[in-house]
Structure formats: C-alpha cells, structure tokens
RNA sequence: GGGAGUUUAGCUCAGUUGGUAGAGUACCUGCCUUACAAGCAGAGGGUCAUAGGUUCGAGUCCUAUAACUCCCACCA
C-alpha cells in the first residue's frame, strides 16, 4: 500500500541511495547489450550549481534514461573539470592567496584539497537532482589519467609538427598574467576618450593629425599608416614622423588598405601591440618590436619617465603631458567595445611570447572542420550554423600555453646547448618536467635541459574527454573500437571552444568524429535576455531550496519544458504544474492500486471495450512519446505522457471505479477486466514517466509492480507498448463514449448540478450504436443515467429529466 | 556591417506535409463526487509583430520592415 501522502524529500533520498547501493546505473563491461556512450561534459568546478547547470544536465539525463530503457548498456560518466585558470582563480579567491607568490607544489596541494571538496558538493547535487550517471566512471581533468591523455595528445601533435612553438603576438591578460585564446574573449562596452594628436614631420614641414584612445602606446609606436586611396595623405607616404613625447623616435608613413579613410583622422599609428591589426602590420612590414607594457600591465623602461606605472595611470599622465606640450588639440568622449578576458573581465593586451600552438586555421583544415561538423548529427539542427560560422572566420591557430601554475604541464624540456625541444616518452607519462629530467640525451649530446614552465590551457585537456573516456592513453585499439562515442551534450556557449576543439583532437588522433550526436541545450533565463547565473545574483530560486521545496522530480519536469535547444524563462508556475502532476500520479496510483490487492497476472478471457480503448489510447501515446525521444525532444515527450495521464484519470478511472467498487452489481468479470487494464496502463505509463520523474515512479513500482515484474528497478525495465489485440476503430469508438459522458457532464455543469445528479433518461444519436451499447453499463454508471435510448444519426446527446431527490 | 534565433490568449509556451487557431496557467461560473479542493465539470478570452506577395485557401511558403536576444566583425 502506498503512503497516504508522498513525502518527497524522504523518498527521493531513499531511492537515490538504493540506486547507488544496487549499482542500477552501472556500466556493465561484460554485457552483450549494445553500448550507448555519453561524453558528459565535466562541469567546471567553481562556486555552486544552479538551475541553469542542472537544466542542461537534466535534459541529457532524460535521453540517457530513455536509451537505458531502450535496452542500451549505458556508459554515462560524471567527470569534473578542475585544472587550469578557472580553478586557479577559484582557489585564489576562496583561500585569499596568489598563485604566483607560492611555490607551485604548495599551491597545487591547496588547490587539489579545495577541488575535492567542491567535487563532492557537485556530485551530491547531481545525485540529488536525479542524474543517472555511473559515478564510478568519474574523472578529474587534473588526475593522472587525464594528464597522461592530455600529454600524450600533445606529444603526438608535437611529433607530427601539428603542435609548434612560436613567438607571436596574441591576446594576453595582465591580471591573470597569462596568454588567452581568442575564443576566451568577450566584448565589453567601456567609456573612453578619442585623443586627437599632432605628430610632427621629421623634415619640419608641418604636422599630421592622428586620433588614439591608447596614447600610452606612444613609446611603442613603430609606424604610421594611411589608406593608399586617401588623396589627403598620399604625399605623406614614405615620410618620417616624430613620435610625440618620444621625439627621438622617428617612424615611417606607409600605405595599407586596412586603414579606414573615414575613421578617426584617417591616419593610424601602429604600436606593438595595440590590437590585432597592429600585430598583422608588424608582421607584414617587418616592423621593430617595442614592448611598452609588461606581463603585469605596467609600463616598461622604454616608456621613460612613465616606466613602472600601470598602463591606465600612464595614459592619464601622458595625456597631461601631451596637453602641456601642445600635441593634443581635441578630445572626444566615446563608448567603444573593448575585448576583455571572460574569466576576469579585464581588458586584454596583445603581447608577444613564445607559445605552443596547434594548427587549426589553414583553409584545408577549416574545410575539414566544416566537413566533420556536417557529418555530426546536431540537436537542434540550427545550432550547426553557429559552428560553421565560427570555423569559417577562424584565422588564428589555437594557443595552448598558459603562463599559470595549476594545470597539466607540457611534457617538454629545451636543450641548454642547442635549444632543441625534448619531448617526454609516452611510457613515462604523466610527467612534470620541473621535477623530472628526460631519460635520454639531446641529439646534440648535451644532457642539460631547461623545463617548460608553462601549463596547458584548460581546453587542451577538456578537448580529450572522449579519449579519456575510451582509454586512448593506455590502449589505442580499445579506444578506436569505442570511437566515436554516441553523444555529447553541452550549452550553446561552448560550441566554439569545447566542441570544435574536441572535434579537432579526435580528428588528429583517431581520424574520426568524437561523437555521433551533439545535443545543444538552451539557457535558463532569469529575465528577458539575462542568463541565469550565480555570479549575477539573479538566481531567484537556489537549486538547494528548489529541491527541498519541490523535489528533484518536479525540477526535472520543469527542465523538460519546451522545444529542445531554446532558451527558457524561469517561472515558478512551471514548478507548480510539475507538483500538480506529481500529486496526481501519487493519488491516482494509490487509488488504482487499492483495487489491485487481489490482482492476478492472468489475462482475463473477456476484456471490456472501454478497457481495450484505454490500452490502445496508451499505445498511441507511447508511439508519439517514443518518437519525440528519438528526435531528442524531451519536452514534447513529457507533454504527451502528461496529457495521457490526466486523460486516464479523468476519463478512464472514473469509468473503471464503478466496476472495481461494486463487482456485485457489475460482475466479477467486469472487475477483472478493469484490473487488467489498470495494471497495464499504470505500469506502462509509470515507465514512460520515469524518464522525467524517476523517484516517485520508482517508489510506486517498488511498492507494487516489482512483485510481478521481477526487474530490480523501474529504470531497468524495457520500454514497450501494452500487448493488446488490434481492433478496428477502437480508438474512434471509445472516443464517442467519452464524448457522450462529456455531454452529460456539460449539461450538469451548465445547469449548476452536482456530477452525481441522476438523469432519468438520455437519447444518443450516432452511427456506432452497436459499440456504444456494449459500453452501456459504463456510461450509465459514470454519467448517473437510468435509461438510454439509441437513434442512428449524426452524433448528438439529448438529456432528459433530472431525477428529483 | 555579416550571420543566427525569437515575436501566437493577461502569463509561460505548443502549432509537423499550407486546410475551421491549441495546452497549461490566470480570470469567471458551478460542483464537498466514497484517490486527489494542490481536485472535478464548464464558460469567456487571440487583427498569429507590421506591410506586401504566391495560392481556391497562409500562423505555416516568399519579400520587405520593426522590436528583442545571441554569435562574429569593427575597436586606430
């Protein structure tokens, strides 16, 4: 017997423990079932999980549960991403320390310690939210296996020349003191000032006007550019110009089509490096390299009296001096978009450093990425456009060096004699070059090496999760057999970072796609256009509170809303809807099961028409639901089963309950028939519902159905239709009976009568009199009608007199 | 400037191949009916963003416009 009231928190915890203890979600190595493998994106460990995270995971979990119930052996791990800059920043913030002020070993120890606490919290929350991952398959991107995989990946690419080391300008974050990748930049609107300066021509023939927002770059000015088509300035090409405040520096005026004639004054100064264009000009025209800003964002010695100042202070001081010395003739306040580092929101600089890169941007490679993108199955399809668009404009190789501390080290040394790169041997991995020496001499005979100090970018490791999952570092054959994995899911914000790079790595190492299908979920919006985010403190409902108040089943119900891949607005009426369904499922099950205490699993000889009808009705719902899951539309699938459940309660149970209550009136056979239908419909409906609401359905299954079904958990049952003989027109004919009952209910409602009010007689007009007659007892009982008259004709129901009380 | 998405009932959202506009919720009217009042039955409510076009017929297809969102480019 089910409890009178369903205690959400108690039951959810109970079944979560049960699933873990019994290993319900464990991957079975020895199974002969087909494997369905999920490359679960390891969440970045930072702060607290919120509804936004859980939403994407929950939708993917529904697909996992669907595949499991289709009979797949699920490989569904839960890893954590906890190396690299994001984790380092978290550790610095939580422990109030700075990584670069501590010995690396010490910092790493503190970081690992903090990370394990966070991992545990994340894992607990995932379990509490009802995820069906196999927790024993977890990994951390900082653990030995991940490091080994990541380092092997690097060595493979370095040996083939795909990974290369070069000194070239790239985005640099002065706050985090590291290089960053183009994909890690965001735009931010900032107020600034356009400063109009007069540069003096070296021959004394006058001045030329140049506008700049970054006058602190004057000491690094290495050239002046005008547009070759600009008639105003053609005569300047080839002339020398003195740099204001640094007049000992003379630079040449050159012509380049990249200069916008109508921008600023139409004359640009090129500094190393103010931005991407400066870097391009510097390379193209072989200009001098002058560094005005150091790693930490302070002015270098070439800035003379400004050296040591932070760039922003130097800007103020330089502007004052420019004013005093008469160079500055105009200032316009402007707002412009500045590239900032997504992790810390600080504007980035362009600096030149020796870095490791991975080739990604030749036209042939770009075409390859596009071909692979087209080969991949995208859900929803429209997300592919974002990927293609991004790949099409790729113009830089992937920088993977980070001048940080907590991450996977490069397995690399440099020969002190000839400078040649020395790679570690694969069987030595994972290796930390700072504490280990190479096991062999350099080719030049030298045995003295300098270790690479940098660590790899987070993405360099996160991009090999399919290789971590398929054991590529240990056994390439095993891995090749398991690749591509079945599915990866993620948010739409990481298509260009994570997904693309994972595709790149799998192609380079194994010549295939990392996965067959990619699911891209939408975002939970707190308000129009505002992403749900802990840091923006707009989480109206904390995940912990929501689980406490509504339970995981209801939150999962909410997560399943709408079309897959679309952004959804958070609303608590959605949670209330879920709660209503939960309540309904409980009450209906409680009620139905109370009549099944003497149920026997033998199929009755005679099944009554309305019982057949509801079973066929379920099968119709089953087919629709199943198709939606196959199309990765969890929301529509949930709608179908939900709609069916309410129909089952409002129309079928009302009919069946008379027969179940009073076998002495309607006959034992009629009761057995209703029991058969109730058992089958409720069981099958719960199975479909278990994908969305795994806890309550498990409770009901365990309390009653397991004794007959013998399968250990509802989540291991296979999804099937109810086995019931096909019958001509059963759906349409049964619907007529439901409509007849509906007409009587409408009559009572319009006349403000109670539903139990008895009606003396009704007259039914329809063309399926035979069928309707066969349901006469049900109709009379549920509609409280004494006599029925039948007439052939267009459907109608005439209601007679009400029986006076 | 380029690309993608969105616009349907007060609110949240469905609407498949073009064929009489849907659900839930809210509001309103009834109903204590022996699972559930967090329930049941019923009613009202829409110029499908705007303007054109194709068609016998357009929420759906085409063109343009507007508003909002996102990605990219611009950043001198």
């Amino acid at each position: 017997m089910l409890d009178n009231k369903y205690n959400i928190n108690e039951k959810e915890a109970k079944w979560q423990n049960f699933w873990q203890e019994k290993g319900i979600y464990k991957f079975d190595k020895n199974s002969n079932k087909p494997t369905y493998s999920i490359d679960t994106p390891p969440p970045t460990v930072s702060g607290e999980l919120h509804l936004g995270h859980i939403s994407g995971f929950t939708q993917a979990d529904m697909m996992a549960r669907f595949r499991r119930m289709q009979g797949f052996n699920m490989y569904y791990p839960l890893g954590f991403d906890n190396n690299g800059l994001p984790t380092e920043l978290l550790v610095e913030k939580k422990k109030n320390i700075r990584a670069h002020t501590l010995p690396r070993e010490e910092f790493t120890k503190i970081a690992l310690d903090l990370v394990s606490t966070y991992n545990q919290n994340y894992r607990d929350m995932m379990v509490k939210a009802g995820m069906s991952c196999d927790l024993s398959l977890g990994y951390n991107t900082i653990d030995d296996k991940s490091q080994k995989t990541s380092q092997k990946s690097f060595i493979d690419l370095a040996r083939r020349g795909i990974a290369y080391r070069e000194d070239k300008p790239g985005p640099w974050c002065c706050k985090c003191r590291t290089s960053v990748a183009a994909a890690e930049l965001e735009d931010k609107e900032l107020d600034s000032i356009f400063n109009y300066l007069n540069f003096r021509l070296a021959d004394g023939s006058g001045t030329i006007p140049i506008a700049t927002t970054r006058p602190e770059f004057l000491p690094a000015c290495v050239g002046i550019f005008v547009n070759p088509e600009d008639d105003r300035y053609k005569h300047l090409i080839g002339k020398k110009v003195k740099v204001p405040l640094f007049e000992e520096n003379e630079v040449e005026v050159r012509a380049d089509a990249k200069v916008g004639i109508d921008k600023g004054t139409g004359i640009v100064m090129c500094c190393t490096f103010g931005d991407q264009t400066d870097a391009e000009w510097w390379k193209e025209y072989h200009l001098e390299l002058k560094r005005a800003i150091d790693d930490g964002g302070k002015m270098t010695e070439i800035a003379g009296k400004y050296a040591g100042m932070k760039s922003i202070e130097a800007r103020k001081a330089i502007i004052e001096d420019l004013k005093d010395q008469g160079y500055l003739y105009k200032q316009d306040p402007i707002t412009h978009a500045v590239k900032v580092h997504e992790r810390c929101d600080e504007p980035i600089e362009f600096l030149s450093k020796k870095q490791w890169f991975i080739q990604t941007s030749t036209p042939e490679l770009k075409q390859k990425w596009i071909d692979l993108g087209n080969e991949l199955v995208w859900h929803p399809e429209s997300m592919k456009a974002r990927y293609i668009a991004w790949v099409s404009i790729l113009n830089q190789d992937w920088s993977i060096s980070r001048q940080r501390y907590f991450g996977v080290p490069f397995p690399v040394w440099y020969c002190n004699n000839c400078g040649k790169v020395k790679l570690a041997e694969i069987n030595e991995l994972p290796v930390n070059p700072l504490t280990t020496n190479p096991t062999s001499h350099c080719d030049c005979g030298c045995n003295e090496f300098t270790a690479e100090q940098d660590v790899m970018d987070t993405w360099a490791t996160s991009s090999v999760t399919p290789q971590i999952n398929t054991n590529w570092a240990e056994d390439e054959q095993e891995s090749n057999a398991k690749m591509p994995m079945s599915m990866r899911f993620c948010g739409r914000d990481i298509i260009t970072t994570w997904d693309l790079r994972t595709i790149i790595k799998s192609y380079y190492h194994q010549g295939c796609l990392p996965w067959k299908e990619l699911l891209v979920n939408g975002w939970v919006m707190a308000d129009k256009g505002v992403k749900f985010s802990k840091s923006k403190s707009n989480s109206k409902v904390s995940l912990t509170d929501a689980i406490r108040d509504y339970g995981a089943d209801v939150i999962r119900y909410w997560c399943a809303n709408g079309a897959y891949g679309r952004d959804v607005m958070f609303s608590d009426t959605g949670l209330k809807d879920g709660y209503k369904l939960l309540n309904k499922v409980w009450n209906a099950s409680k009620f139905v099961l109370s009549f099944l205490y003497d149920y026997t699993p033998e199929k009755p000889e005679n099944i009554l028409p309305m019982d057949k009808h509801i079973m066929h009705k379920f099968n119709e719902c089953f087919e629709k639901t199943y198709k939606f899951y196959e199309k990765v539309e969890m929301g529509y699938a949930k709608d179908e089963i939900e709609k069916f459940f309410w129909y089952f309660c409002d129309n079928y149970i009302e009919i069946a309950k008379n027969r179940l209550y009073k076998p002495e009136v309607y006959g034992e056979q009629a009761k057995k028939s209703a029991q058969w239908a109730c058992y089958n419909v409720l069981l099958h409906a719960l199975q479909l519902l278990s994908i969305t609401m795994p806890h309550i359905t498990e409770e009901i299954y365990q309390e009653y159905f397991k004794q007959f079904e013998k399968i250990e958990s509802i989540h291991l049952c296979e999804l099937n239709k109810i086995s019931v003989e096909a019958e001509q027109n059963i759906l349409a004919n049964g619907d007529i009976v439901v409509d007849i009952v509906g007409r009587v209910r409408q009559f009572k409602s319009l006349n403000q009568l109670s539903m139990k009010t008895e009606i003396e007689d009704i007259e039914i007009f329809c063309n399926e009199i035979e069928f309707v007659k066969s349901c006469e007892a049900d109709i009379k009982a549920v509609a409280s009608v004494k006599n029925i008259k039948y007439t052939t004709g267009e459907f109608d129901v005439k209601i007679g007199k009400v029986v006076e009380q």
Side-chain angles (χ1 to χ4, degrees):
Chain A
M1 276 292 279
L2 299 184
D3 298 346
N4 193 42
K5 194 155 169 45
Y6 177 67
N7 184 326
I8 296 174
N9 295 319
E10 182 195 313
K11 298 295 184 189
E12 292 196 346
K14 175 181 159 191
W15 296 116
Q16 284 157 11
N17 288 333
F18 173 85
W19 298 329
Q20 291 312 317
E21 279 168 19
K22 299 281 179 179
I24 299 298
Y25 303 134
K26 261 196 153 4
F27 173 69
D28 181 0
K29 273 184 193 162
N30 305 315
S31 169
N32 49 13
K33 289 180 182 176
T35 297
Y36 189 92
S37 54
I38 300 179
D39 182 24
T40 314
T44 303
V45 179
S46 63
E48 223 173 280
L49 280 173
H50 55 70
L51 268 172
H53 293 117
I54 281 298
S55 164
F57 267 80
T58 299
Q59 294 176 59
D61 185 72
M62 290 175 193
M63 288 312 297
R65 288 180 182 278
F66 172 67
R67 298 296 182 197
R68 186 179 295 112
M69 295 180 88
Q70 268 187 317
F72 283 98
N73 183 23
M74 297 302 295
Y75 186 93
Y76 183 19
L78 178 61
F80 294 99
D81 190 15
N82 39 28
N83 84 65
L85 189 53
T87 309
E88 215 176 290
L89 294 178
L90 174 75
V91 175
E92 289 190 334
K93 198 172 143 196
K94 289 286 165 189
K95 297 285 181 183
N96 198 23
I97 52 175
R98 302 292 290 173
H100 68 275
T101 61
L102 292 175
R104 192 178 290 189
E105 280 71 33
E106 199 176 319
F107 185 86
T108 301
K109 198 161 166 279
I110 296 170
L112 286 171
D113 191 52
L114 186 76
V115 153
S116 73
T117 315
Y118 270 93
N119 280 3
Q120 197 52 52
N121 291 344
Y122 268 46
R123 194 173 293 127
D124 289 351
M125 285 311 286
M126 290 289 187
V127 169
K128 280 190 182 154
M131 301 307 157
S132 62
C133 307
D134 179 351
L135 296 180
S136 68
L137 299 176
Y139 58 87
N140 292 298
T141 53
I142 195 67
D143 67 24
D144 280 359
K145 184 179 179 184
S146 301
Q147 293 214 25
K148 183 170 181 177
T149 310
S150 186
Q151 290 186 332
K152 180 176 168 181
S153 161
F154 172 79
I155 290 171
D156 185 30
L157 298 181
R159 282 182 183 160
R160 292 155 64 189
I162 293 165
Y164 63 94
R165 192 168 185 242
E166 199 178 295
D167 193 344
K168 63 179 172 184
W172 179 276
C173 177
C174 292
K175 189 175 182 193
C176 302
R177 290 170 177 270
T178 181
S179 60
V180 292
E184 293 169 274
L185 305 180
E186 281 174 358
D187 283 345
K188 193 177 175 186
E189 286 289 330
L190 289 179
D191 290 330
S192 184
I193 294 169
F194 230 152
N195 300 285
Y196 289 81
L197 310 178
N198 280 318
F199 281 50
R200 292 179 189 140
L201 289 164
D203 58 12
S205 64
T207 62
I208 59 171
I210 296 181
T212 177
T213 54
R214 307 282 312 265
E216 69 273 23
F217 269 113
L218 282 171
C221 178
V222 292
I224 305 286
F225 285 87
V226 298
N227 191 294
E229 305 296 316
D230 194 340
D231 291 336
R232 293 175 297 175
Y233 304 127
K234 274 183 177 164
H235 65 283
L236 296 174
I237 297 167
K239 288 201 173 186
K240 295 275 187 187
V241 174
K242 287 175 183 288
V243 179
L245 302 180
F246 300 88
E247 294 220 331
E248 65 281 11
N249 298 343
E250 294 189 358
V251 295
E252 190 183 328
V253 179
R254 291 178 172 82
D256 190 282
K258 280 205 268 288
V259 179
I261 295 177
D262 50 353
K263 277 190 189 170
T265 62
I267 310 179
V268 196
M269 64 172 188
C270 169
C271 309
T272 50
F273 301 96
D275 62 19
Q276 184 67 36
T277 315
D278 287 348
E280 287 165 20
W281 280 331
W282 169 76
K283 194 174 175 190
E284 189 175 342
Y285 298 98
H286 306 288
L287 303 176
E288 195 183 345
L289 178 64
K290 287 189 171 181
R291 290 190 63 185
I293 294 178
D294 70 12
D295 299 2
K298 288 186 175 160
M299 304 306 291
T300 63
E301 63 282 1
I302 70 159
K305 62 185 272 204
Y306 311 104
M309 290 182 174
K310 282 190 175 170
S311 61
I312 194 102
E313 293 165 358
R315 185 185 306 175
K316 281 182 196 151
I318 287 177
I319 287 174
E320 283 310 307
D321 290 344
L322 287 167
K323 269 186 201 162
D324 291 348
Q325 299 184 31
Y327 291 108
L328 186 74
Y329 69 94
K330 190 167 94 171
Q331 286 190 309
D332 279 344
I334 55 159
T335 314
H336 65 165
V338 174
K339 289 241 181 282
V340 297
H341 183 205
E342 63 175 2
R343 303 287 181 193
C344 68
D345 236 22
E346 282 290 307
I348 59 106
E349 300 291 350
F350 276 80
L351 289 185
S352 191
K353 280 254 174 178
K354 268 209 163 183
Q355 311 264 12
W356 284 95
F357 293 88
I358 293 176
Q359 275 183 27
T360 58
S361 54
T362 66
E364 299 75 41
L365 287 173
K366 281 163 67 171
Q367 188 55 50
K368 190 69 209 173
W369 314 144
I370 289 174
D371 291 346
L372 288 165
N374 282 321
E375 211 178 297
L376 186 61
V377 178
W378 295 73
H379 296 284
E381 176 82 25
S382 61
M383 290 294 176
K384 186 160 82 178
R386 291 167 190 262
Y387 172 89
I388 303 285
W390 171 263
V391 173
S392 307
I393 54 143
L394 255 190
N395 59 3
Q396 289 173 64
D397 283 345
W398 173 15
S399 136
I400 54 166
S401 295
R402 294 294 179 271
Q403 290 66 42
R404 298 294 302 196
Y405 314 92
F406 188 59
V408 178
F410 284 86
V412 166
W413 300 262
Y414 306 104
C415 173
N416 285 355
N417 178 45
C418 68
K420 202 174 164 192
V421 171
K422 181 77 183 169
L423 296 170
E425 296 301 320
I426 300 288
N427 59 18
E428 299 164 1
L429 303 180
V431 70
N432 181 358
L434 292 173
T435 56
T436 322
N437 281 320
T439 45
S440 61
H441 292 239
C442 178
D443 294 342
C444 74
C446 172
N447 201 22
E448 300 277 311
F449 295 92
T450 303
E452 170 64 69
Q453 294 272 333
D454 292 350
V455 295
M456 289 187 220
D457 173 25
T458 315
W459 301 112
T461 305
S462 329
S463 59
V464 292
T465 54
Q467 284 70 33
I468 296 172
N469 282 321
T470 58
N471 205 27
W472 176 75
E474 297 295 339
D475 185 341
E476 291 192 19
Q477 277 199 325
E478 175 192 346
S479 176
N480 288 341
K482 288 178 175 173
M483 289 287 280
M485 294 182 73
S486 309
M487 182 261 267
R488 140 79 63 89
F489 64 93
C490 70
R492 60 171 154 81
D493 48 329
I494 54 177
I495 293 172
T496 55
T497 48
W498 210 334
D499 294 335
L500 170 61
R501 288 157 177 189
T502 308
I503 289 171
I504 289 173
K505 288 273 186 106
S506 287
Y507 170 73
Y508 275 142
H509 297 308
Q510 299 179 280
C512 64
L513 274 173
W515 342 272
K516 295 181 189 120
E517 285 185 294
L518 180 63
L519 275 56
V520 185
N521 59 261
W523 281 350
V524 179
M525 308 305 266
D527 240 318
K528 284 228 185 310
V530 184
K531 191 181 171 186
F532 219 84
S533 149
K534 180 82 183 166
S535 62
K536 304 224 170 78
S537 70
N538 57 11
S539 308
K540 289 180 196 161
V541 175
S542 90
L543 185 56
T544 320
D545 291 352
I547 289 180
R548 187 198 56 218
D549 296 344
Y550 293 98
D553 284 346
V554 171
I555 291 169
R556 291 172 62 91
Y557 169 99
W558 181 82
C559 290
N561 257 332
Y564 186 68
R566 292 267 294 271
D567 291 349
V568 282
M569 292 274 276
F570 176 76
S571 77
D572 46 23
T573 57
L575 287 177
K576 288 188 177 124
D577 290 348
Y579 188 80
K580 277 175 61 176
L581 177 62
L582 186 88
N583 210 33
K584 194 73 176 176
V585 167
W586 187 254
N587 284 317
S589 302
K590 193 172 67 183
F591 182 63
V592 165
L593 296 184
S594 73
F595 294 106
L596 294 186
Y597 58 91
D598 60 346
Y599 170 78
T600 48
E602 283 85 52
K603 190 171 186 175
E605 278 175 32
N606 202 11
I607 297 177
L608 297 190
M610 289 313 284
D611 298 336
K612 287 184 192 160
H613 175 250
I614 192 65
M615 289 191 279
H616 279 103
K617 204 83 179 166
F618 172 81
N619 285 349
E620 186 187 45
C621 156
F622 181 92
E623 272 179 32
K624 286 187 192 165
T625 307
Y626 202 89
K627 273 186 193 153
F628 279 130
Y629 277 122
E630 285 193 317
K631 286 198 275 186
V632 190
E633 287 293 359
M634 294 65 89
Y636 299 164
K638 181 214 73 180
D639 284 350
E640 284 301 328
I641 181 63
E642 183 182 15
K643 245 188 305 184
F644 172 80
F645 202 88
W646 289 88
Y647 180 93
F648 170 63
C649 293
D650 297 340
N651 294 298
Y652 178 74
I653 293 182
E654 290 300 319
I655 286 173
K657 78 184 191 186
N658 297 295
R659 290 194 249 133
L660 293 166
Y661 263 121
K662 297 175 190 164
E664 70 281 5
V665 176
Y666 299 100
E668 196 60 30
Q669 282 307 307
K671 176 183 148 188
K672 286 240 179 295
S673 172
Q675 283 182 318
W676 176 258
C678 279
Y679 181 95
N680 278 291
V681 172
L682 184 59
L683 171 66
H684 284 79
L686 289 173
Q687 287 172 350
L688 275 187
L689 257 176
S690 75
I691 293 172
T692 315
M693 299 186 150
H695 304 84
I696 192 169
T697 49
E698 181 78 303
E699 167 77 12
I700 299 165
Y701 175 84
Q702 298 282 346
E703 280 293 313
Y704 183 80
F705 291 101
K706 190 179 180 179
Q707 59 184 310
F708 298 105
E709 299 299 317
K710 313 284 187 207
I711 292 169
E712 196 169 19
S713 160
I714 192 169
H715 304 299
L716 299 176
C717 293
E718 277 206 32
L719 291 177
N720 278 311
K721 284 202 247 185
I722 299 171
S723 140
V724 52
E725 295 78 14
E727 190 170 316
Q728 197 75 34
N729 296 332
I730 183 71
L731 286 172
N733 289 345
D735 288 351
I736 292 172
V737 173
V738 170
D739 286 346
I740 291 165
V741 173
R743 287 297 186 94
V744 179
R745 285 171 171 172
Q746 183 185 40
F747 170 83
K748 289 177 182 176
S749 195
L750 289 173
N751 290 284
Q752 309 196 339
L753 297 167
S754 157
M755 285 300 138
K756 69 175 179 184
T757 308
E758 266 194 295
I759 305 287
E760 190 65 51
D761 46 49
I762 63 171
E763 184 173 5
I764 295 168
F765 298 80
C766 77
N767 294 317
E768 305 294 339
I769 290 175
E770 277 311 300
F771 183 87
V772 176
K773 263 188 183 166
S774 72
C775 305
E776 188 172 285
D778 286 340
I779 296 171
K780 281 181 172 172
V782 74
S784 296
V785 172
K786 281 188 157 175
N787 300 298
I788 301 180
K789 191 181 163 195
Y790 299 93
T791 309
T792 305
E794 197 183 334
F795 179 74
D796 197 12
V797 179
K798 288 202 172 130
I799 318 283
K801 267 194 253 164
V802 169
V803 178
E804 298 297 335
Q805 295 297 321

